[in-house]
Amino acid sequence: MPGFRLLHRYIAARFLSAILAVFTICTVLIFIIDFVEMLRQSSKFGAVPFSTLLALTLLRLPAYTEILLGFAVLAGSIAAMLQLSRKSELAVMRAAGMSVWQFTWPGLVVVLALGAFAITVYNPLAAHARASAEAMFAQIYGRESNLLRQKGANGWLRQDGRDGPSVIHALAAKDKGRALNGVTIFQYDRKHRFIARIDGASATLQQGHWLVRDAWVSRLGAPPVRQATYQVSTFLTPEKVADALGSVLSLSFWDLPDLIAVTKRAGLKPIRYQIQYELLLARPFLLVVMVLLAATVSLRSFRGGGIQTMVIFGMVGGLGFFLLIEVSRQIGTAGLVPPRLAVWSPIIAALLLSLTVLLHQEDG
C-alpha cells in the first residue's frame, strides 16, 4: 500500500539520520583523541609541522571509525526508536496493526545497505588511507612495524619456496619488509631436511627469491664458503610482502582472499587475515544484531516509565557484546578455534537471543 511504503521510508530515514549523527560524533571524538596522540608522538620523537600531523591524523581516521560503526548503529537505532516512541508514533503504528517486525525491517534494510557499503567501498578506501598513513609515519619518524621488526626482540620468519622451506632471522627490516639487514637463514629441502645455514649482510626480496649479499654458506661436513650473492626461494612477492608483514587495518576487503592464499603458500600463518576477512563478511549481520538489540530495549512507552533503565541495559548489553566479540577474536587469533567459528558464533548467539526477547515481548 502507498501509505505503508511512505511510512517505511519515513522510518528508514529516521534510522539513517540517527545512525549518521552518532557516527559523526564518534568520528569527531576519535579525531581529537588521535590528533592529541600525534602531538605527543611529535614532542617525543621530533617536531613535525602542524599540517603534516593534521594530514596524518585524517589518513588514520577512516580505519578507526570503521571499527566503531557497530556502536554507532546501536546508539543510533536506540535514539531513532526512542524518538518515535516519545512522539507516540510507535503507539499509533501499533494501533494501526503494525507488529514490531513491520516497523523494524526498514531499519534492518538501512543497516544491511550500510554494512554492504562499509565492506565493499568504505573499507578499501580506509585501508588505502591507512597504508598511506603508515608510510607517512615511517617517513616522518623513521620507524615501521612488521613481523620482522618486533618491539623488544629481533624478528623471525618461517616461509616456504620452490626449493623448500626456510627460517629467516633479521636484525632489522626496512622498505616494509622487502629489505633485511643482519640476516641468518636456515634452509631446508622439500622433505624438511637441513641444507645450509646462510649468514649475510643483507637480503632483498626479488621475484621468487631472497637475494642475500655478502653471504657465508655453511653446509654439514663442509667448511663455510663465502659467496657474493646467494638465492633462497620464496613464494612471497615484493607486491605482497608488505601486506603479509604489515597491519591488518591497511588491508582491503578485496585484497584479503588473494593475500590469504599467498600467505599460506609462503608458509606463513594467515589466521589474522582470515579473521579480518570473516569480520568484514559478518559486518552487515553484526549491524542487524545491533538493530534487534536496540529494539529489545526501546519499545516501551514513555508513559510507562523505566525508559532510562532499559536504555542503560541496552548500552551495557551492546558493550558486553562487543567485548565478547573481541575475546572470541583473540581466541581465534591464538589458533584455539577456527577463525570462522571465532567470528560468527557470538553474532549468531546474540541474534538468536535478541529474536527470542523480541518474540517474548511481542507475543508473550
Side-chain angles (χ1 to χ4, degrees):
M1 295 175 59
F4 277 95
R5 288 197 295 268
L6 180 61
L7 179 60
H8 288 152
R9 287 198 296 269
Y10 173 76
I11 297 173
R14 287 289 190 182
F15 271 93
L16 182 60
S17 59
I19 291 170
L20 292 180
V22 175
F23 185 77
T24 301
I25 294 173
C26 292
T27 300
V28 173
L29 291 176
I30 292 174
F31 173 80
I32 294 173
I33 294 172
D34 195 40
F35 187 69
V36 171
E37 174 62 18
M38 287 297 99
L39 290 174
R40 189 187 68 83
Q41 293 278 356
S42 177
S43 63
K44 184 177 180 180
F45 297 105
V48 179
F50 179 86
S51 59
T52 303
L53 292 178
L54 183 62
L56 183 59
T57 306
L58 289 174
L59 287 173
R60 288 158 56 99
L61 186 61
Y64 291 141
T65 56
E66 182 186 16
I67 298 174
L68 286 180
L69 181 59
F71 174 79
V73 169
L74 174 63
S77 299
I78 291 177
M81 291 188 181
L82 288 181
Q83 189 176 23
L84 292 173
S85 179
R86 184 175 63 85
K87 295 181 178 180
S88 300
E89 292 171 323
L90 281 183
V92 173
M93 294 177 198
R94 283 186 173 277
M98 291 184 66
S99 67
V100 62
W101 316 110
Q102 289 176 302
F103 58 74
T104 301
W105 82 259
L108 298 179
V109 172
V110 167
V111 298
L112 281 173
L114 283 176
F117 175 81
I119 64 176
T120 58
V121 179
Y122 191 79
N123 171 262
L125 294 176
H128 179 72
R130 178 71 184 194
S132 301
E134 290 178 354
M136 183 182 293
F137 188 90
Q139 182 180 5
I140 294 173
Y141 298 111
R143 302 184 301 133
E144 62 182 14
S145 176
N146 55 54
L147 288 180
L148 288 170
R149 186 171 181 177
Q150 302 176 23
K151 185 176 180 180
N154 296 326
W156 290 87
L157 171 66
R158 185 192 181 280
Q159 56 108 59
D160 201 358
R162 182 182 62 258
D163 300 328
S166 56
V167 179
I168 302 176
H169 173 271
L171 295 178
K174 60 182 180 180
D175 193 19
K176 294 291 184 178
R178 298 184 183 95
L180 312 177
N181 292 328
V183 179
T184 300
I185 302 176
F186 297 92
Q187 189 177 16
Y188 301 84
D189 63 16
R190 298 306 303 171
K191 296 182 179 180
H192 297 272
R193 293 176 298 195
F194 178 76
I195 297 177
R197 167 175 171 163
I198 302 96
D199 296 276
S202 63
T204 306
L205 182 63
Q206 310 289 332
Q207 282 292 348
H209 65 271
W210 290 95
L211 183 63
V212 185
R213 293 180 175 85
D214 193 16
W216 285 92
V217 182
S218 304
R219 303 180 186 273
L220 292 176
V225 178
R226 185 175 183 178
Q227 297 184 203
T229 60
Y230 186 90
Q231 294 184 5
V232 178
S233 64
T234 180
F235 289 128
L236 287 173
T237 64
E239 294 78 19
K240 290 298 180 184
V241 69
D243 290 339
L245 303 181
S247 167
V248 294
L249 294 179
S250 61
L251 302 178
S252 166
F253 170 77
W254 302 109
D255 295 335
L256 279 169
D258 185 41
L259 177 59
I260 291 171
V262 170
T263 305
K264 284 182 178 179
R265 197 179 180 201
L268 303 175
K269 291 184 178 181
I271 293 178
R272 62 180 184 142
Y273 311 117
Q274 291 173 326
I275 288 181
Q276 177 69 4
Y277 186 63
E278 294 296 334
L279 284 172
L280 290 173
L281 283 178
R283 182 156 294 165
F285 302 95
L286 170 67
L287 302 185
V288 166
V289 171
M290 293 296 99
V291 173
L292 294 177
L293 179 60
T296 62
V297 299
S298 306
L299 298 181
R300 181 177 296 183
S301 172
F302 266 79
R303 295 182 179 180
I307 290 294
Q308 294 84 354
T309 303
M310 293 294 293
V311 170
I312 291 174
F313 273 119
M315 297 302 294
V316 172
L319 293 176
F321 174 59
F322 290 133
L323 178 61
L324 177 62
I325 289 179
E326 178 61 22
V327 171
S328 182
R329 186 185 71 83
Q330 293 295 340
I331 292 175
T333 303
L336 300 179
V337 297
R340 184 166 296 174
L341 179 63
V343 171
W344 285 93
S345 54
I347 295 176
I348 293 175
L351 177 63
L352 294 176
L353 179 61
S354 299
L355 289 175
T356 301
V357 173
L358 283 176
L359 284 171
H360 178 72
Q361 291 179 345
E362 184 71 6
D363 301 323

